[in-house]
Amino acid sequence: MAFKQILIAASMAALLSACQSNRSTTQLLTSAQSQPTVTAEQLSSRERSELYQAILAAELAAGEGDVKTALTQYLFALSILPQKEIAVEAIVLAQKSNDSVALVQAAKTWLKVEPTNRQAREAYILGNLMLFDQMQTLQEPALTDALVATKELIELYQDEKESYHALAALNNLYLNSSTLVLWQQLLREYPDNPLPWTLLGDAYLKASRISQDQSFPTKAEQAINVALQRNPKFAPAIDLKVEFLREDNQAEKVTPFLQSLLLDDLSNTAAHQALAEWFYQNREYTKALRATEYWQKHADNDSVDILYLQAASHYGLRDFKTAHEDFVKLLNTDYRPDLVRYYCGDTAERIEKFNQAKACYLNVGESKYWYSSQQRLAQLMLNDDEQEQLLKRLTTYAFDGNAEQIEQSVVLKAQVLQELNRELEAVEWVARFINHERITVEVPIQHFKIIYKMNPENDWSAYAEMIGERLNPELVDAWYLQLANELSDRDQSQLAVALLTTQIERSADNLDLRYSRALMRERTNQPKIMLKELNALYQDDQDNPHIQNALGYTLADQNQQLDLALDLIQKAREQLPNSGAVLDSLGWVYYRLGKLQQAESALKVALTIESSAEVFAHYLEVLIENSKRDEAESMLLKAWDELKDNRYILRLVDKYKILVPQP
């Protein structure tokens, strides 16, 4: 189970400093160890009063951003009443403030209450790793405690695959010298087990993304290979090998690697699964389906993973009837229920089983699929003349849903009212919800969209001020940022830049506003100012990967300082190795440098991560310049209906005089 459920992620390369003296550290740890477990019923009136006061003081301090005081109060509350809920709050704050002693103390207290709780043990391991790095005199006992807790955690999980994913979370949250030492200690205990070797390989692979040490990729590969020698069927090791090959620009070796595992042992279901998923990720859906057939033959029982991949592959092939049948079968399992319900509705709609689609959408719960399902449901209900039932349903959610559902329901009801040509009612409805209770700017942005449609010549500067005054002050920068983007999308980029400039004068430290304004200069045809502003941003925050990438891409796009552009983009990639935008920039600078094969490889991977029209246009241009015009034109024709109005695609068509279907 991932740490992120209870911890705030820390920078993997952060240098941590001790918050307590060695003496106080020992005292605190000893105190936590010897503390007797009590229940709420056993507390005296005085203890109960002190407990409530401590929790109240902690909540107030946390609300004011005083993490140290809040943590102290929660620890005091824990000393009165060892309780999971209090421990979790203390753990979050201890992680946020890099207080290893408090983290160990809170986790240990939680374990006294729930000895088999996995999250508590994960937090305890993390605290001891932090302690190892912060306090040299406590390194040996901290490492010993972390190792013991790690072995106990492994025993708590049903299989090694689950253990791996739980422990690999440490490599995401806290990648430091102590983490590597822990895995090395673990493999000394279990030298023939693939688990510690895979954890070590994962740590080195992640370290290679943020470090200049050229030995890390080699060490990662070596550890992964040893893990596969120990057990060629160990799924995490297989998956990590695929990840390594992809990141090391050896994607062409993935299929042969997986096929070699299957040649050695056709019963290797982990290799079958990895091969099917690899084909699916690369949009080779027919191959993915064939791979699932072989996987199914050698699986011990019917796997929902196989059924889902078959459903998704049929969907990719636009065989919506078969995909729907597969998703209906998945409804009877507990496999990602909201995703399955959403795509059950989606495929039912596509094959015109509208009542079944409505039933599926209605059952989507609180998840990232909820809003999309409600949008689709709304259209179906409108088609069936159920507008009043729909409006009533959305009104209920707008007043009784969670914070996110409230805003989404307000926006969706406004859109429905617009579709019913009830614009004034829509304006009044949305205006009721523009207040300090909003958690995003989606509601005021919807208000803007309605007003713009009614009166595009409105005074948008005054409008921005008026709405900004009604919002929570913490949202005002986001309001101006999003409003500027909306105006720019409506060919009012000059006004958008002016609005951003106005807000930047009030929030000069907001890099997001300055960053967006700089990028918007492309639409106002001000390349020199764009470059100047990006350079200024880079001077203010040289380690920001988004700024590095934007500046590097802009230099490449303007064919300037290409060596510097490459250096900036490579630095950005160290921090954002899986970013499609960064890989797109890398491909583009390789293209400008005349390295067409490297450009093609980078852009092909970028397209699998971020299938935007801009990345697609870059990839097609490189194919054409790399003497693969026929392939580029074939790809463009297949996607033409979806991209025929995109400015990047139209620019490409004009540049290379590509023949495309005419309206």
Side-chain angles (χ1 to χ4, degrees):
M1 197 171 293
F3 278 108
K4 64 183 179 181
Q5 296 176 19
I6 57 173
L7 302 178
I8 297 175
S11 169
M12 290 188 291
L15 295 175
L16 303 173
S17 59
C19 299
Q20 307 282 342
S21 68
N22 293 344
R23 181 179 178 185
S24 62
T25 297
T26 305
Q27 290 172 342
L28 276 169
L29 292 177
T30 304
S31 171
Q33 200 166 25
S34 61
Q35 183 186 49
T37 301
V38 297
T39 64
E41 291 75 17
Q42 295 173 313
L43 296 179
S44 66
S45 298
R46 178 180 175 181
E47 288 172 329
R48 193 173 289 110
S49 175
E50 289 178 343
L51 173 67
Y52 294 153
Q53 288 177 19
I55 292 175
L56 178 60
E59 291 175 346
L60 290 172
E64 294 172 356
D66 187 352
V67 175
K68 184 177 180 180
T69 300
L71 178 56
T72 301
Q73 292 295 334
Y74 276 128
L75 291 175
F76 178 62
L78 270 180
S79 71
I80 300 171
L81 179 65
Q83 190 182 63
K84 171 185 174 180
E85 290 75 13
I86 303 173
V88 169
E89 296 292 345
I91 285 171
V92 169
L93 295 174
Q95 170 72 357
K96 188 174 183 179
S97 58
N98 294 328
D99 192 331
S100 57
V101 174
L103 182 52
V104 170
Q105 182 182 358
K108 183 175 286 189
T109 304
W110 186 359
L111 284 169
K112 290 180 69 177
V113 180
E114 298 181 353
T116 60
N117 188 286
R118 297 170 183 176
Q119 291 177 320
R121 203 163 298 279
E122 290 166 3
Y124 183 69
I125 296 169
L126 178 61
N128 277 290
L129 292 180
M130 291 170 61
L131 200 60
F132 178 95
D133 291 316
Q134 292 179 7
M135 299 184 185
Q136 189 172 0
T137 57
L138 291 176
Q139 283 188 340
E140 185 175 345
L143 182 60
T144 299
D145 287 348
L147 181 60
V148 170
T150 299
K151 291 159 67 176
E152 291 172 344
L153 185 64
I154 291 171
E155 293 178 2
L156 288 174
Y157 282 93
Q158 294 180 353
D159 59 43
E160 288 183 334
K161 185 175 179 180
E162 289 185 358
S163 300
Y164 170 78
H165 289 299
L167 291 169
L170 281 168
N171 292 335
N172 293 323
L173 283 171
Y174 189 74
L175 186 58
N176 220 314
S177 59
S178 58
T179 321
L180 294 171
V181 172
L182 176 61
W183 305 145
Q184 289 164 348
Q185 286 287 102
L186 190 64
L187 65 86
R188 289 191 184 98
E189 299 258 344
Y190 305 112
D192 296 326
N193 191 316
L195 174 62
W197 289 103
T198 310
L199 288 167
L200 186 62
D202 180 62
Y204 277 126
L205 184 58
K206 287 183 169 65
S208 70
R209 299 167 185 164
I210 59 175
S211 171
Q212 298 296 325
D213 192 325
Q214 298 300 312
S215 70
F216 282 170
T218 302
K219 289 178 179 178
E221 185 175 26
Q222 289 172 344
I224 297 167
N225 288 340
V226 173
L228 288 168
Q229 289 170 6
R230 298 293 187 268
N231 184 358
K233 296 183 178 182
F234 189 51
I238 294 172
D239 294 340
L240 195 60
K241 178 74 171 185
V242 171
E243 185 179 345
F244 171 81
L245 290 172
R246 181 175 58 80
E247 288 191 17
D248 202 44
N249 294 318
Q250 300 184 66
E252 72 282 355
K253 294 183 179 180
V254 171
T255 300
F257 157 65
L258 295 172
Q259 289 174 335
S260 69
L261 291 177
L262 293 171
L263 282 172
D264 292 337
D265 186 353
L266 270 175
S267 69
N268 191 336
T269 54
H272 281 296
Q273 180 171 359
L275 184 61
E277 290 175 347
W278 176 253
F279 286 140
Y280 176 77
Q281 289 164 9
N282 287 279
R283 303 182 184 184
E284 298 180 80
Y285 303 121
T286 302
K287 289 183 178 180
L289 284 170
R290 275 205 303 271
T292 60
E293 291 173 5
Y294 286 110
W295 176 12
Q296 197 162 31
K297 286 180 182 178
H298 295 91
D300 293 334
N301 46 47
D302 291 336
S303 169
V304 291
D305 292 311
I306 296 175
L307 184 56
Y308 172 72
L309 201 54
Q310 289 173 336
S313 297
H314 285 302
Y315 189 94
L317 290 168
R318 305 187 71 79
D319 179 2
F320 298 120
K321 183 178 183 296
T322 307
H324 179 67
E325 292 170 356
D326 290 338
F327 281 119
V328 169
K329 293 175 185 175
L330 283 166
L331 287 174
N332 298 318
T333 72
D334 59 357
Y335 185 88
R336 302 176 68 180
D338 285 326
L339 175 147
V340 169
R341 289 168 189 150
Y342 175 75
Y343 279 102
C344 170
D346 175 284
T347 50
E349 194 176 347
R350 291 175 185 272
I351 60 176
E352 299 184 355
K353 291 188 175 183
F354 299 121
N355 286 333
Q356 191 164 3
K358 287 162 69 174
C360 290
Y361 291 142
L362 276 167
N363 284 293
V364 174
E366 294 181 17
S367 65
K368 67 178 182 179
Y369 301 100
W370 185 83
Y371 187 44
S372 296
S373 67
Q374 300 312 302
Q375 290 176 307
R376 303 283 286 271
L377 177 62
Q379 193 57 57
L380 291 174
M381 292 181 74
L382 286 174
N383 293 344
D384 289 342
D385 293 324
E386 297 174 345
Q387 50 262 37
E388 294 308 318
Q389 297 96 309
L390 171 60
L391 292 171
K392 183 178 179 181
R393 172 183 170 80
L394 293 173
T395 300
T396 299
Y397 274 111
F399 288 104
D400 297 332
N402 61 41
E404 189 175 11
Q405 286 177 329
I406 288 172
E407 300 198 357
Q408 292 171 340
S409 299
V410 169
V411 170
L412 185 52
K413 180 175 176 179
Q415 293 170 345
V416 170
L417 288 169
Q418 280 185 278
E419 191 161 339
L420 296 172
N421 297 317
R422 293 156 64 174
E423 281 83 2
L424 290 177
E425 189 177 344
V427 171
E428 292 174 0
W429 164 253
V430 176
R432 294 170 61 184
F433 294 88
I434 301 176
N435 53 46
H436 280 219
E437 294 180 8
R438 300 284 64 81
I439 59 172
T440 73
V441 296
E442 292 306 312
V443 170
I445 286 298
Q446 182 61 38
H447 188 269
F448 159 78
K449 291 176 179 178
I450 303 171
I451 297 293
Y452 189 91
K453 185 177 179 181
M454 296 170 66
N455 180 21
E457 303 303 320
N458 190 37
D459 184 346
W460 298 115
S461 296
Y463 175 81
E465 292 283 344
M466 178 192 71
I467 297 295
E469 290 173 358
R470 295 173 60 178
L471 294 173
N472 186 320
E474 295 181 359
L475 286 180
V476 173
D477 285 348
W479 159 244
Y480 272 86
L481 191 62
Q482 188 61 35
L483 180 62
N485 287 332
E486 293 290 338
L487 287 167
S488 181
D489 288 342
R490 290 165 175 76
D491 296 324
Q492 297 208 41
S493 296
Q494 292 285 4
L495 175 57
V497 168
L499 280 177
L500 288 174
T501 300
T502 297
Q503 190 59 17
I504 287 169
E505 291 172 357
R506 300 170 183 147
S507 303
D509 294 334
N510 190 313
L511 296 184
D512 289 337
L513 292 170
R514 293 170 56 195
Y515 178 78
S516 293
R517 183 180 66 176
L519 297 187
M520 213 166 280
R521 300 292 187 183
E522 180 189 9
R523 295 192 178 188
T524 59
N525 197 26
Q526 296 173 297
K528 291 183 178 179
I529 297 177
M530 179 181 182
L531 197 54
K532 179 181 178 181
E533 290 179 348
L534 285 173
N535 268 308
L537 279 164
Y538 179 64
Q539 295 305 315
D540 288 343
D541 191 359
Q542 296 191 11
D543 294 325
N544 187 313
H546 301 287
I547 295 173
Q548 291 169 340
N549 180 56
L551 179 56
Y553 174 81
T554 302
L555 287 169
D557 201 45
Q558 296 183 20
N559 224 1
Q560 299 182 39
Q561 298 177 272
L562 296 181
D563 290 337
L564 172 60
L566 178 59
D567 182 59
L568 287 167
I569 294 166
Q570 287 175 331
K571 286 180 178 177
R573 194 181 175 207
E574 288 174 5
Q575 297 187 61
L576 301 172
N578 298 317
S579 166
V582 174
L583 280 169
D584 173 53
S585 298
L586 184 64
W588 202 237
V589 74
Y590 279 143
Y591 170 52
R592 293 300 196 196
L593 287 165
K595 300 178 179 181
L596 295 180
Q597 195 55 51
Q598 288 172 271
E600 183 181 334
S601 297
L603 288 167
K604 185 175 182 179
V605 176
L607 201 56
T608 65
I609 300 172
E610 184 172 323
S611 55
S612 71
E614 184 177 7
V615 177
F616 188 54
H618 287 163
Y619 182 58
L620 295 183
E621 181 164 344
V622 169
L623 286 178
I624 292 171
E625 293 292 342
N626 205 17
S627 303
K628 298 179 181 179
R629 185 183 180 108
D630 289 346
E631 181 181 346
E633 290 186 350
S634 175
M635 291 178 66
L636 179 59
L637 288 175
K638 289 179 181 177
W640 180 250
D641 287 342
E642 295 180 17
L643 300 174
K644 60 185 177 184
D645 297 321
N646 183 270
R647 59 193 177 105
Y648 296 106
I649 297 297
L650 292 175
R651 191 183 303 164
L652 179 79
V653 169
D654 181 63
K655 180 177 181 178
Y656 291 99
K657 310 302 178 189
I658 300 173
L659 295 177
V660 294
Q662 298 300 314

